[in-house]
Amino acid sequence: MARPRKPLLSRDRIVGTASALVDAEGLDAVSTRRLAAELGVSGPSLYNHFRNKDEILDAVADAVSAKVDLSMFDETDGRDWRTALHDWAVSYRAALTDHPNVVPVLARGPGRRPAGLKVADAVFGAMVRAGWPPAQATHIGALMRYFITGSALGSFARGFVDDETAYDPADYPHLGQAHLLADRQQQVDEGAFETGLRALLDGLAVRYEAGVRGEAGVRGARAPQGPADGP
């Protein structure tokens, strides 16, 4: 009876295996030797698909970017720019919190990664269509990435131990409930993200009304009158 054939080595298999390693053990767990052993192939065979470890990690990061919902930035979508940014940020953070170990790679920016570049293109294009000047649209994309990736790099709630004796009221009179934070990690961290996101968007909305819409109004007021508008 013939032996079952081994699955053919492919980019998808390599990326899937590398992603599982990163999720379980972190970025340092990935090496061509380790991946070859996990895949049951010889090390050199990986080089038919990737030149080095960095390319593999880029592909792992891009697979995470591909999970981010971008539908809100489609020209046919009815959401305004603020709602679109909010919904995209929530989707982006969800993708990152599912794969926190790869966040340091994503935080470096999209580089040449196709899915990462699609994210950047979608955000920038939507902001420009909404009326933001290109420079401001670039700034918005950058600050959103800083905020979202920063929120996914670690947990505020998990930074506190669940030992009540660690917070002596003589030294820390305001941390009497800090030992409860670890058990409420999701509630605390998601609440903090939503609070920060809404504050950020509130600030952008003020600038938008004062700058983008205000400038449009000034341009309209200065526009030459047509014949029907004259005396």
Side-chain angles (χ1 to χ4, degrees), residues 73-137:
F73 295 130
D74 193 283
E75 293 187 47
T76 61
D77 191 277
R79 280 169 277 193
D80 58 69
W81 67 267
R82 175 179 171 150
T83 304
L85 276 181
H86 175 275
D87 294 349
W88 164 71
V90 171
S91 174
Y92 193 2
R93 182 177 181 273
L96 298 190
T97 53
D98 284 344
H99 305 278
N101 290 337
V102 81
V103 173
V105 179
L106 287 162
R108 296 200 294 262
R112 296 177 180 272
R113 299 193 295 270
L117 289 170
K118 286 182 179 179
V119 171
D121 181 74
V123 176
F124 179 80
M127 295 305 101
V128 171
R129 285 198 308 273
W132 287 97
Q136 286 297 307

Side-chain angles (χ1 to χ4, degrees), residues 163-226:
D163 179 3
E164 187 173 4
T165 64
Y167 308 103
D168 188 330
D171 296 320
Y172 316 109
H174 306 296
L175 296 181
Q177 301 295 307
H179 64 286
L180 302 175
L181 292 175
D183 286 338
R184 302 174 184 175
Q185 180 260 324
Q186 184 174 0
Q187 177 184 354
V188 172
D189 291 345
E190 289 186 359
F193 176 76
E194 186 66 25
T195 299
L197 177 59
R198 290 187 179 277
L200 187 156
L201 294 174
D202 284 347
L204 286 177
V206 171
R207 295 195 65 175
Y208 184 80
E209 293 296 327
V212 175
R213 286 198 172 184
E215 181 61 28
V218 170
R219 287 197 299 268
R222 292 176 179 173
Q225 293 180 328

Side-chain angles (χ1 to χ4, degrees), residues 50-73:
F50 296 97
R51 290 183 297 178
N52 50 45
K53 171 183 172 177
D54 287 342
E55 281 197 356
I56 295 171
L57 292 179
D58 267 349
V60 170
D62 215 36
V64 174
S65 294
K67 297 178 181 179
V68 180
D69 182 14
L70 298 177
S71 63
M72 66 287 296
F73 295 130

